[in-house]
């Protein structure tokens, strides 16, 4: 495989920016470091964006996972292929599914792409109908396949550590707003194109979505249907109602906190129209307590980009709290709308507990947390070591890590905003001989 751990993703919506793709992959627990869009160039003509992106990930395991299964981005399956070289070309910077560039007559027919999902389960939870024990067996088999080139080495692959919670576990979900198969406004997941239009389906059948989030979706959808402003049309790149993002706590008391971020496209709409429409949602959410009960907050994101379907823009607090607090391994983490946090809280606790037992940490240990994100793993192990040194390329995530350390009174953790290679060299140079 490419020593840089790169893959080329196909079928990536040309309206998505490189930053959008990195963020969407990271939210699927894929450690995407960067993405670069390929363009077709012709003499005398402007470059044309192609639905292909080179994505760099942190390690070979992530690379192999993408090559095996691809990724789902905005409801579209994006298969992955290897990067053969770093030379740009008219198609895909050194990669095609079938062979050399610029030889269309010599290439065999391209395989048919997998069919687009037709249900919300197929779009976001394709393994939901597979018994959980079988899911774990499939994941272990994938690991064994990825390790096959190292078969000469001596190692043992344990069984996959199961998640303590397999339903309603996601602490973050993003629900698109559009129209369902009957043309009615709908809040849910994009399930593909039907009759030339992107279709949205309710999350009611998706078991990984919590009952609290589903209740909020029903309220917001009711308000959107009463509104005179249209739901966003991803095919025409027009409309007002774009997205509802939800972040929920599970371990910070009862009832849980639920932070909603409503994203609307404001270009072409007057302030009065925007305020009236948003007030419909606000009133609907406050008309009666949600069932199950939550500590509810609402934020508004005004997206002035008239084309891109990925949400962007600053968030404004309408009422409630601008962040939630989640407890992980006894530590309290403050989570804002843009913060990165493991989407399965109980699963993350099991993972960190296992890592702590495997690392043989002592009071003299120095723990290097490379690509640390918001510092979750390192901070949860800080009490067992002399100090924690975290490295993360995203400056905003580093600020969150520092803030979480201060919030928990952890003084032996340092976080550096740098790419892994540069940051690691800097940190290693500062270690003492004993360390």
């Amino acid at each position: 495989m490419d020593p840089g751990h790169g893959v080329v993703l196909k079928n990536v919506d040309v309206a998505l920016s490189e930053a959008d793709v990195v963020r969407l992959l990271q939210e699927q627990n894929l450690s995407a470091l960067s993405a670069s869009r390929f363009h077709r160039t012709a003499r005398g003509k402007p470059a044309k964006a192609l639905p292909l992106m080179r994505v760099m990930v942190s390690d070979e395991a992530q690379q192999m996972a993408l090559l095996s299964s691809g990724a789902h981005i905005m409801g579209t399956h994006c298969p992955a292929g290897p990067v053969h070289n770093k030379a740009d070309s008219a198609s895909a910077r050194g990669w095609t599914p079938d062979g050399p560039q610029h030889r269309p007559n010599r290439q065999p027919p391209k395989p048919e792409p997998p069919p687009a999902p037709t249900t919300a389960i197929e779009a976001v939870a394709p393994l939901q109908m597979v018994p959980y024990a079988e899911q774990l067996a499939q994941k272990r088999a994938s690991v064994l396949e990825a390790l096959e080139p190292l078969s000469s080495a001596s190692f043992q692959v344990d069984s996959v550590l199961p998640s303590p919670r397999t339903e309603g576990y996601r602490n973050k979900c993003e629900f698109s707003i559009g129209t369902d198969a009957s043309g009615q406004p709908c809040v849910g997941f994009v399930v593909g194109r039907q009759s030339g239009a992107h279709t949205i389906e309710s999350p009611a059948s998706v078991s990984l979505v919590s009952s609290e989030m589903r209740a909020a979706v029903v309220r917001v959808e009711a308000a959107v249907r009463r509104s005179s402003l249209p739901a966003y049309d991803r095919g025409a790149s027009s409309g007002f109602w774009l997205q509802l993002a939800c972040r929920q706590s599970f371990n910070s008391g009862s009832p849980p906190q639920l932070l909603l971020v409503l994203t609307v496209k404001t270009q072409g709409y007057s302030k009065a129209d925007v305020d009236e429409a948003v007030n419909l949602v606000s009133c609907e959410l406050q008309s009666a307590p949600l069932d199950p009960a939550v500590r509810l907050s609402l934020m508004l994101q005004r997206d002035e980009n008239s084309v891109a379907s990925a949400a962007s823009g600053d968030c404004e607090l309408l009422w409630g709290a601008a962040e939630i607090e989640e407890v992980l391994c006894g530590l309290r983490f403050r989570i804002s709308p843009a913060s990165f946090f493991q989407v399965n809280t109980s699963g993350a606790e099991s993972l960190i507990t296992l890592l702590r037992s495997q690392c043989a940490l002592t009071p003299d240990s120095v723990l290097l947390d490379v690509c640390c994100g918001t510092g979750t793993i390192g901070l949860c192990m800080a009490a067992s070591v002399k100090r924690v040194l975290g490295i993360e390329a995203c400056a905003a995530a580093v600020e969150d890590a520092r803030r979480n350390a201060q919030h928990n009174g952890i003084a032996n953790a340092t976080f550096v905003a740098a790419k892994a290679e540069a940051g690691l060299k800097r940190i290693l140079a500062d270690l003492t001989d004993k360390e």
Side-chain angles (χ1 to χ4, degrees):
M1 294 296 102
D2 187 329
H5 304 309
V7 301
V8 174
L9 285 182
K10 190 180 178 184
N11 297 345
V12 182
D13 190 340
V14 295
L16 292 175
S17 70
E18 295 165 346
D20 289 334
V21 171
V22 170
R23 176 178 61 82
L24 292 168
L25 291 174
Q26 289 175 347
E27 289 175 356
Q28 299 176 49
N29 290 333
L30 294 168
S31 56
L33 304 177
S34 65
S36 55
R37 170 78 64 183
F38 299 137
H39 295 80
R40 186 187 304 279
T41 57
R43 186 173 299 174
K45 296 182 179 180
K48 179 183 178 181
L50 294 173
L52 300 164
M53 274 202 179
R54 180 200 296 269
V55 175
M56 304 301 293
V57 293
S58 62
D59 55 50
E60 188 173 7
Q62 295 267 326
Q63 181 189 32
M64 294 298 295
L66 278 172
L67 289 173
S68 173
S69 304
H72 279 84
I73 299 177
M74 300 297 291
T76 299
H77 179 254
C78 300
V83 180
H84 289 168
N85 59 60
K86 299 192 176 189
D88 206 348
S89 73
S91 292
R93 199 175 286 179
W95 174 85
T96 63
D98 304 304
Q101 302 291 330
H102 311 308
R103 298 180 184 176
N105 295 332
R106 301 183 187 179
Q107 294 179 1
K110 294 182 180 180
E112 288 293 324
T118 58
T119 67
I121 291 176
E122 289 179 8
V124 299
L127 295 180
Q128 179 173 311
M129 307 308 293
V130 179
Y132 190 55
E134 186 176 337
Q135 293 182 37
L136 298 181
Q138 289 180 10
K139 292 175 182 179
R140 185 174 184 274
S142 296
V143 172
L144 289 171
E145 183 179 355
L147 293 175
E148 189 173 352
L150 304 176
S151 57
S152 59
S154 176
F155 58 82
Q156 178 180 345
V157 177
D158 291 336
S159 58
V160 178
L161 184 69
S163 171
R165 183 170 181 167
T166 59
E167 294 187 355
Y169 63 82
R170 280 193 67 99
N171 55 46
K172 179 183 180 181
C173 284
E174 293 181 349
F175 303 102
S176 299
I177 305 178
T179 55
D180 60 19
S182 65
Q184 290 295 311
C186 183
V187 181
F189 297 115
V190 177
V191 296
R193 295 174 66 91
Q194 297 181 17
S195 301
H198 289 81
T199 302
I200 310 296
E201 184 175 299
S202 164
S205 63
V206 181
S207 63
L208 55 79
V209 179
S210 71
S211 53
E212 291 85 358
M213 289 188 189
R214 294 184 206 176
V217 164
V218 169
R219 292 284 186 91
V220 173
E221 182 177 280
V224 170
R225 291 191 173 190
R226 291 203 312 273
S227 169
S228 61
L229 301 186
Y232 191 73
D233 183 336
R234 285 156 181 78
S237 298
S238 65
F240 178 75
W241 304 101
L242 179 66
Q243 179 179 280
L244 176 70
C246 303
R247 305 207 73 153
Q248 179 178 341
S249 66
F250 285 88
N251 295 338
S252 60
S254 181
Q257 296 171 280
L258 183 62
L259 172 60
L260 308 181
V261 181
L262 177 68
T263 304
V264 296
K265 291 283 192 178
T266 57
Q267 193 170 77
Y269 298 97
S270 68
K271 182 179 183 302
D273 286 341
V274 173
D275 291 345
E276 180 181 356
V278 171
N279 188 56
L280 278 175
V281 174
S282 180
C283 291
E284 181 67 33
L285 288 169
Q286 295 178 302
S287 61
L290 290 186
D291 184 17
V294 295
R295 288 173 281 166
L296 190 62
S297 302
L298 179 63
M299 301 186 77
L300 176 66
Q301 185 177 41
R302 302 172 189 265
D303 188 339
E304 298 180 356
N305 189 328
S306 62
V307 178
S309 58
S312 62
D314 295 332
C315 293
E316 167 194 352
L317 179 64
L318 299 183
W319 41 265
E323 58 188 12
I324 65 172
E325 184 176 82
E326 185 62 298
V327 177
L328 186 69
C329 296
L331 300 183
R332 295 186 174 275
F333 291 87
R334 292 175 177 172
I335 306 169
S336 64
S339 297
F340 175 79
F341 196 76
Q342 298 292 334
V343 296
N344 183 341
T345 304
S346 60
E349 287 187 316
S350 295
L351 172 64
I352 292 170
T353 301
L354 177 64
L355 287 174
R356 187 186 287 136
S357 68
Q358 296 281 329
C359 288
L361 302 174
T362 73
D364 293 324
S365 297
V366 176
L367 178 65
L368 298 181
D369 191 356
V370 183
C371 301
C372 65
T374 54
T376 308
I377 295 177
L379 291 175
C380 287
M381 296 187 178
S384 303
V385 300
K386 179 181 179 182
R387 57 176 174 151
V388 174
L389 303 173
I391 307 167
E392 170 58 46
C394 176
V398 170
E399 287 303 314
D400 281 342
R402 292 168 178 166
R403 186 178 66 153
N404 285 326
Q406 184 178 18
H407 184 52
N408 287 281
I410 297 174
N412 65 332
T414 302
F415 297 97
V416 175
K419 290 186 177 180
E421 298 84 351
L424 194 57
K425 289 180 181 179
R426 187 192 317 170
I427 284 177
L428 292 176
D430 290 340
L431 295 179
T432 66
D433 292 339
K434 184 178 180 180
E435 292 174 331

